[in-house]
Amino acid sequence: MPVAAVQTVLDLVFPPRCLSCGGFTGEDGGLCGPCWRDTPFITGLVCKMCGVPLPGRDAEEAICDDCLRIARPWTMGRAALLYTGVARDMVLKLKHGDRHDIIAPAARWMLRSAAPLISPDTCVVPVPLHTWRLIRRRFNQSALLAQELGRQGGMAVVPDALRRIRATPSLDGRTREERFAALEGAIVGARNRASRIAGRDVLLVDDVMTSGATFAAATEALHAVGAQRVCVLALARVAKNA
């Protein structure tokens, strides 16, 4: 039986479902009409450093108030979604619900947002989990996103370029200062992978960006092993009033 015919039969038996609500959709890995309309994709003018949406028209050097106050060790940053509503629900399903079917479309959305960050020599590195958290969760969602970004974007991926050497408490509900303090010294570059990072541009990937503390710690660790230029990319960005 031709492949197209097999796919038609499979679609009849297992019709495509919306990634968010589970309703029927026209294709696998998609959102239904209502969920698509309710998904807060980040478009238009954004902060060049953290990707948060900004009011006004396009500008080359738009920077949000937080990034003007806080020194960012990376070069540029972007996010695909605002961490609210349908987007928050999908991130939590990926992170805690084993919904790996979200990975491919999420990477596609991220890749679209990441266009200004990518150079011909860019390699992709995920933010690491501590060993004990990885054992409990069984996977690192940031590593899965990084692998798929590399596949879709034709970029090299170095999944073990960073190590989280100290377990950090949950950062939910913590102040910005507490987040930065908790991450200090917690992430280091893997010396046996330094040759794959040294002198290269790096796209550093995580699922959610809140204060930027995790990205900052990971960026500094990449610079310590010779990364030339680090840009950060999150699936979702927490924003005030989102």
Side-chain angles (χ1 to χ4, degrees):
M1 183 180 293
V3 173
V6 172
Q7 187 60 53
T8 299
V9 171
L10 289 174
D11 286 345
L12 289 172
V13 178
F14 304 105
R17 297 276 186 168
C18 173
L19 293 170
S20 177
C21 72
F24 295 120
T25 61
E27 60 181 2
D28 287 322
L31 295 165
C32 67
C35 286
W36 179 269
R37 289 192 300 271
D38 291 341
T39 299
F41 290 98
I42 295 176
T43 59
L45 182 63
V46 300
C47 173
K48 67 169 287 190
M49 297 304 295
C50 72
V52 74
L54 295 174
R57 295 182 177 274
D58 288 347
E60 290 184 3
E61 297 295 327
I63 300 178
C64 71
D65 291 343
D66 279 351
C67 289
L68 287 172
R69 288 195 302 267
I70 305 168
R72 303 297 197 187
W74 59 82
T75 302
M76 286 194 293
R78 293 292 188 274
L81 309 166
L82 283 175
Y83 188 65
T84 186
V86 172
R88 180 178 182 275
D89 178 62
M90 285 193 290
V91 170
L92 292 176
K93 285 177 178 176
L94 166 61
K95 198 168 185 173
H96 302 296
D98 289 351
R99 287 288 306 277
H100 293 185
D101 56 316
I102 294 171
I103 292 291
R108 187 168 63 248
W109 303 331
M110 294 170 75
L111 198 59
R112 183 175 59 202
S113 299
L117 315 182
I118 297 172
S119 71
D121 191 44
T122 293
C123 66
V124 187
V125 171
V127 167
L129 287 179
H130 186 266
T131 301
W132 292 118
R133 185 164 294 177
L134 181 60
I135 290 171
R136 288 197 300 271
R137 191 173 293 167
R138 295 174 288 108
F139 63 90
N140 177 358
Q141 69 280 357
S142 299
L144 296 179
L145 289 167
Q147 291 284 8
E148 185 63 18
L149 280 163
R151 188 189 71 80
Q152 292 186 22
M155 296 176 286
V157 182
V158 189
D160 52 354
L162 295 172
R163 296 170 51 230
R164 195 178 292 241
I165 60 173
R166 191 180 75 247
T168 52
S170 172
L171 300 180
D172 291 345
R174 304 264 176 161
T175 66
R176 179 188 294 121
E177 292 73 19
E178 289 170 338
R179 287 170 177 268
F180 276 86
L183 268 297
E184 186 174 357
I187 299 175
V188 299
R191 293 294 171 182
N192 62 339
R193 291 292 182 268
S195 62
R196 300 188 62 186
I197 298 299
R200 299 190 66 172
D201 292 347
V202 176
L203 184 65
L204 179 62
V205 173
D206 205 358
D207 57 342
V208 179
M209 178 178 177
T210 304
S211 67
T214 302
F215 272 135
T219 297
E220 289 167 353
L222 287 168
H223 283 313
V225 292
Q228 177 171 287
R229 172 178 175 266
V230 178
C231 292
V232 303
L233 176 65
L235 171 56
R237 176 75 169 95
V238 175
K240 295 173 183 176
N241 303 319

